Amino acid sequence: MSKRIVVTGMGALTPIGNDVVSYWDGMIKGNSGAAPITYFDSSNFKTKFACELKGFDINNFLDRKESRKLDKCAQYAVVSAGEAIKQANLDFDKVDTKRVGVIWGSGVGGLRTFQEELFSFFKSSINNAPHRFNPFFISKMISDTAGAYISIKYNLKGFNFTTVSACASSANAIIDAYNYIKLSKADVIISGGSEAAVTESGLGGFNALNALSVRNDDPKRASRPFDRDRDGFVLGEGAGALVLEDYEYAKRRGANILAEIVGTGLSADAYHITAPDPEGEGVRYLLENALAESNLDPSEVDLINTHGTSTNLGDIAEINATEKIFGDNLYKGTFINSTKSMTGHLLGAAGVIESIACIMAINESKIPPTINLENRDERINKDINIPIKALDREVNVAISNTFGFGGHNASVVFRKY
């Protein structure tokens, strides 16, 4: 008999809320996390705003000696994982920690650490002075440190690795966790992703690709998926974590089950390193895979949290592919949304925080809105259900779609327990 995989804990650190409850409250209220950048002087950049964390202080979670060894990317990971573990009520003194794994995702890892160390090196070189590299430079920079540190902090001796598939990284991490538990390689896996790319190099790099919105006069209305006047995505940061468990194991320990993962989908566009397949063929194949593995008919899906980044090519390709699979269900009982309209794009952490949005929609019987959708792109069927305000509606099945540069496509299907 195939194992059932359930979610028993969640943690979130986002531009609209620093825990799951406040994140959900911000979504339902339709809050935007976009604002002028405070981390550095952005006056010489085309884009001068981002979705930064608000009121977050790592010193409330880690002591200074501990935190200085970690890039923000790993700091965020530890905080969100801690919240998820607490909600799951996991007592690691009472479980076999050799059966508890950590699978984490990050698209760029310690970007700020890499940037700052090089800045410091070049400054020394210009002044013809010796430069002493920080002894934590490599360990802070590499992407796997986030998951490794979670493992070390909680003495978890099951397998531990990091997935890197650009913006699909945390979705791939969740899918790997799901599959490894199904294969009986673990009983519990802490999975998710983190990103801290609101840096000069992150902003400048995406600006060079013409990927970011330049709506500097009105940042809160800049992330506008499916809108005729969208001009790019908004860079975000943060982290999210899920505790995944074998259903029988969770039941034996009396865990509170939040949702069940009933299937996943994976595909590749095999088209271009940064642009999506304009026909959405990879997305269509992805959704076919997800529905088949979940043994679901399109009519049984209540919500699709789209990748929906607010880019001209990506939004249309995804909508067209989705319409090919779901047909007139999108005009009837299936709703779509993009929570990136509020959080911005958290890159490698996008998949997990949007999975949390799906799980909350299931548990709270509410569909978060797509804000800033004022003039729907004329290429998007006017009858497709895209709520612009939070909607009270029973959600039994929700799908989270996440795509990454390179054509990496991942989909996770959640069902009410």
Side-chain angles (χ1 to χ4, degrees):
M1 183 177 177
S2 179
K3 286 180 178 287
R4 296 171 64 186
I5 314 302
V6 295
V7 178
T8 58
M10 302 185 294
L13 184 57
T14 80
I16 60 171
N18 293 345
D19 52 49
V20 170
V21 171
S22 56
Y23 167 50
W24 177 249
D25 183 61
M27 273 193 294
I28 294 306
K29 290 178 178 176
N31 292 344
S32 169
I37 289 172
T38 64
Y39 293 163
F40 56 89
D41 181 2
S42 63
S43 58
N44 289 327
F45 291 84
K46 288 191 293 183
T47 297
K48 307 178 193 309
F49 61 93
C51 286
E52 299 175 335
L53 299 184
K54 316 292 190 301
F56 174 74
D57 185 352
I58 190 60
N59 295 312
N60 294 330
F61 301 92
L62 298 174
D63 64 47
R64 182 172 176 79
K65 183 178 180 180
E66 195 176 13
S67 66
R68 67 187 290 268
K69 299 176 182 178
L70 303 173
D71 184 88
K72 281 185 175 183
C73 180
Q75 292 176 3
Y76 297 167
V78 172
V79 172
S80 65
E83 182 185 5
I85 289 166
K86 183 177 180 180
Q87 184 183 34
N89 197 27
L90 278 168
D91 183 348
F92 293 124
D93 292 329
K94 296 180 180 178
V95 303
D96 181 1
T97 55
K98 296 188 297 298
R99 299 281 300 170
V100 182
V102 180
I103 304 179
W104 206 253
S106 182
V108 294
L111 185 62
R112 176 164 291 282
T113 292
F114 183 73
Q115 172 189 291
E116 289 179 346
E117 196 66 39
L118 286 187
F119 282 179
S120 179
F121 173 75
F122 288 131
K123 184 177 180 180
S124 298
S125 298
I126 290 169
N127 295 324
N128 202 26
H131 177 76
R132 180 178 178 272
F133 276 83
N134 187 316
F136 300 118
F137 170 49
I138 297 297
S139 61
K140 288 175 69 173
M141 176 191 71
I142 53 180
S143 296
D144 71 298
T145 295
Y149 198 81
I150 294 167
S151 173
I152 293 166
K153 184 175 179 65
Y154 296 101
N155 194 34
L156 307 179
K157 298 183 181 297
F159 52 78
N160 179 291
F161 63 87
T162 294
T163 57
V164 180
S165 50
C167 302
S169 296
S170 61
N172 276 120
I174 294 167
I175 291 170
D176 278 0
Y178 166 84
N179 284 323
Y180 274 101
I181 296 174
K182 271 190 169 293
L183 290 170
S184 299
K185 302 291 186 181
D187 299 319
V188 180
I189 298 179
I190 316 302
S191 187
S194 53
E195 212 75 273
V198 182
T199 65
E200 292 91 333
S201 51
L203 191 72
F206 283 117
N207 266 161
L209 288 170
N210 293 316
L212 297 180
S213 170
V214 292
R215 192 183 283 258
N216 296 304
D217 59 339
D218 195 4
K220 292 191 179 302
R221 294 173 61 235
S223 185
R224 43 199 314 112
F226 318 128
D227 190 87
R228 178 191 66 198
D229 301 316
R230 66 195 183 282
D231 69 330
F233 73 82
V234 178
L235 188 60
E237 63 168 353
L242 298 180
V243 175
L244 272 59
E245 299 190 45
D246 169 67
Y247 167 68
E248 296 296 338
Y249 183 89
K251 196 165 64 169
R252 283 196 302 273
R253 74 175 190 86
N256 179 39
I257 295 172
L258 303 172
E260 181 176 0
I261 298 179
V262 293
T264 65
L266 291 167
S267 74
D269 280 358
Y271 175 76
H272 190 273
I273 199 65
T274 57
D277 176 358
E279 300 301 320
E281 184 178 349
V283 178
R284 179 174 56 79
Y285 184 40
L286 170 80
L287 291 170
E288 288 174 345
N289 287 341
L291 290 171
E293 184 175 294
S294 306
N295 196 29
L296 289 169
D297 184 82
S299 63
E300 297 178 271
V301 176
D302 302 295
L303 172 64
I304 303 168
N305 192 324
T306 64
H307 186 56
T309 56
S310 186
T311 59
N312 185 50
L313 294 176
D315 287 6
I316 297 301
E318 182 175 11
I319 289 288
N320 288 344
T322 304
E323 195 168 16
K324 286 176 182 176
I325 299 300
F326 284 86
D328 62 4
N329 290 295
L330 296 178
Y331 326 140
K332 298 176 182 177
T334 303
F335 287 75
I336 71 171
N337 69 351
S338 173
T339 49
K340 287 185 181 72
S341 60
M342 294 169 280
T343 65
H345 191 355
L346 269 64
L347 307 180
V352 65
I353 68 159
E354 289 157 21
S355 290
I356 291 168
C358 287
I359 294 168
M360 290 300 294
I362 287 170
N363 281 275
E364 300 295 326
S365 297
K366 284 184 181 291
I367 295 177
T370 300
I371 67 169
N372 301 325
L373 181 50
E374 297 165 357
N375 298 291
R376 186 180 299 206
D377 190 311
E378 60 273 7
R379 293 169 291 178
I380 298 174
N381 190 311
K382 63 181 177 57
D383 295 320
I384 292 177
N385 294 317
I386 310 176
I388 59 174
K389 293 186 179 298
L391 181 67
D392 292 324
R393 187 176 179 87
E394 184 175 8
V395 179
N396 292 302
V397 176
I399 296 178
S400 176
N401 286 339
T402 317
F403 315 141
F405 276 1
H408 311 292
N409 304 317
S411 183
V412 186
V413 185
F414 299 93
R415 185 169 63 194
K416 181 178 289 187
Y417 172 68

